[in-house]
Amino acid sequence: MAEAAAPTTRPQGEVRLDDLMLAMDVVDTLRRQDAFLARELDEEGREEELKSRLRRIYREQGIEVSDAVIDEGVNALKDARFVYAPPRPGLSRALALLWVSRRKAGIFLAAAFVLAAALLGGFLLLRERKVESIRIEHLTGAPSAPAGARASGDQSGTRA
């Protein structure tokens, strides 16, 4: 029993797999950061490479393009002139989104209309019954029997 409680020891040269994977992850992260920094710091070299590639592509197609036009195109690329900027939130955007999702909105509005019509119909039906009951009471001078009492045959007014 005393042997089972003793901690297991490893030889000094053996490394746990978790430690090895963690170290590999750290090394890969540092390597990627170095590559990213080198690429970002060499912006001038990338710009010149892009210009030379553009010149070569246009030359291969037989199109003569001046350096000024290529420089202007590269500057426009740097200015993010060709980057999509979504529209700001507002009424026109909300209406456009509603138009795009009109099927879902239409189903929702149709369901809301049917529900409102059913509620209004039920309210008007109950109101009409109440008005009719009051009218009968006014004409006969006696309270009218509830609908359930008439259907069950309860005739409380004719008891002996």
Side-chain angles (χ1 to χ4, degrees):
M1 287 284 185
E3 293 174 39
T8 59
T9 58
R10 288 192 187 96
Q12 285 187 351
E14 189 176 325
V15 179
R16 287 185 19 208
L17 181 62
D18 292 344
D19 293 339
L20 181 66
M21 294 301 288
L22 182 63
M24 287 176 66
D25 184 46
V26 169
V27 168
D28 283 344
T29 302
L30 292 173
R31 184 177 51 87
R32 283 190 208 108
Q33 284 178 350
D34 287 344
F36 176 75
L37 286 175
R39 193 171 56 241
E40 289 299 316
L41 291 176
D42 190 29
E43 183 177 335
E44 187 66 33
R46 284 188 308 147
E47 189 175 312
E48 288 302 317
E49 181 184 340
L50 176 62
K51 289 178 184 178
S52 67
R53 287 180 63 198
L54 286 171
R55 284 187 202 102
R56 187 182 73 235
I57 289 171
Y58 282 116
R59 202 174 323 116
E60 288 173 356
Q61 293 179 359
I63 302 171
E64 204 52 47
V65 180
S66 68
D67 287 343
V69 173
I70 291 177
D71 289 342
E72 188 177 330
V74 170
N75 288 335
L77 181 66
K78 282 197 303 188
D79 292 342
R81 215 182 296 176
F82 305 110
V83 174
Y84 172 73
R88 294 187 334 245
L91 178 64
S92 61
R93 181 173 180 252
L95 290 174
L97 289 174
L98 183 65
W99 178 255
V100 169
S101 62
R102 64 187 176 269
R103 181 179 177 113
K104 290 180 193 173
I107 291 171
F108 175 74
L109 288 175
F113 178 75
V114 167
L115 179 65
L119 289 174
L120 181 64
F123 171 75
L124 291 176
L125 183 64
L126 289 176
R127 185 171 161 241
E128 182 64 32
R129 283 190 178 175
K130 181 72 172 172
V131 167
E132 184 69 19
S133 172
I134 291 173
R135 187 179 70 80
I136 291 172
E137 185 178 313
H138 179 66
L139 288 176
T140 61
S144 62
R150 276 185 271 144
S152 66
D154 183 16
Q155 306 212 352
S156 57
T158 60
R159 274 192 192 179

